[in-house]
Amino acid sequence: MKASLFDHSYVLKQLACQGVLQTCEVLKVGLPTRTKYEQIAADFRPKLPADIQEAFANSNDQTLVRAILWAFEVPSADYKCGFTRVFFRTGKMAMLERVLDIDWAGDKDGMPITQWIGKRLGNFLVRQRWRTAYAKVTMALYAVKYWTGLQTEAKARKQKASVLMQRV
């Protein structure tokens, strides 16, 4: 390294390793506000009814936050979920604040808010588990079909080889 020498490729590699380029892409798309899943889950989890806390006991914070955003009908165009954080579009962080600051004594759609939240979060878990099960069954069927195709192909090759051997 020499003073006054700028190596573009070396600097680009450093920025890529530090994740600066991904951060710039996120900001370029228009998702400047970000919050860790743990922060949102820590604020919301203690307020949930006991049965819903138990239902989400084996789920990670990302699943809980995604369920909360889905339950409160936050438009998916206003946020994106990353590995450790949820990213909000400009000015949309207020939606999360509105969700976190709900009146727990109030009503929603003619039922107590805790019951309404419990129902919506439960529906999210059912939908998620259904989608996971559907994907697993689809992959299992594909694997069986693929394996059967391989076996048929191998059988055809053996038969072709035996025919060739008989000709000789």
Side-chain angles (χ1 to χ4, degrees):
M1 297 192 88
K2 295 180 181 179
S4 302
L5 182 65
F6 188 81
D7 185 0
H8 292 281
S9 62
Y10 180 73
V11 171
L12 186 61
K13 286 179 187 176
Q14 281 185 325
L15 292 175
C17 289
Q18 294 175 354
V20 174
L21 298 178
Q22 288 84 0
T23 303
C24 291
E25 284 295 320
V26 165
L27 294 175
K28 182 179 175 184
V29 174
L31 301 164
T33 309
R34 53 196 174 274
T35 306
K36 288 187 176 187
Y37 293 122
E38 296 89 32
Q39 291 174 330
I40 299 170
D43 287 346
F44 207 82
R45 196 179 298 263
K47 299 174 184 175
L48 292 174
D51 58 332
I52 296 300
Q53 285 184 13
E54 185 178 318
F56 279 93
N58 295 330
S59 300
N60 59 14
D61 291 338
Q62 180 183 13
T63 302
L64 178 62
V65 171
R66 288 179 57 226
I68 292 167
L69 294 172
W70 180 83
F72 284 94
E73 300 169 349
V74 176
S76 59
D78 293 342
Y79 68 92
K80 297 291 180 218
C81 293
F83 289 116
T84 59
R85 299 170 191 260
V86 60
F87 299 86
F88 289 94
R89 293 206 180 277
T90 306
K92 301 300 180 178
M93 187 69 170
M95 289 182 171
L96 179 64
E97 296 298 326
R98 178 181 53 86
V99 167
L100 293 175
D101 293 338
I102 62 167
D103 178 20
W104 287 90
D107 288 349
K108 175 87 174 177
D109 295 340
M111 62 178 76
I113 195 78
T114 54
Q115 185 180 358
W116 181 83
I117 290 171
K119 183 178 176 185
R120 293 283 295 171
L121 293 177
N123 287 346
F124 178 85
L125 282 179
V126 168
R127 287 170 45 109
Q128 183 185 31
R129 289 176 183 154
W130 173 254
R131 287 179 179 171
T132 301
Y134 179 79
K136 287 180 180 181
V137 168
T138 303
M139 281 306 300
L141 292 175
Y142 176 77
V144 167
K145 184 178 176 182
Y146 181 74
W147 180 253
T148 306
L150 287 178
Q151 286 179 330
T152 305
E153 200 175 289
K155 191 176 184 181
R157 270 187 271 137
K158 282 183 183 179
Q159 187 176 12
K160 186 177 179 181
S162 68
V163 169
L164 285 174
M165 290 298 286
Q166 290 175 358
R167 287 186 188 169
V168 175

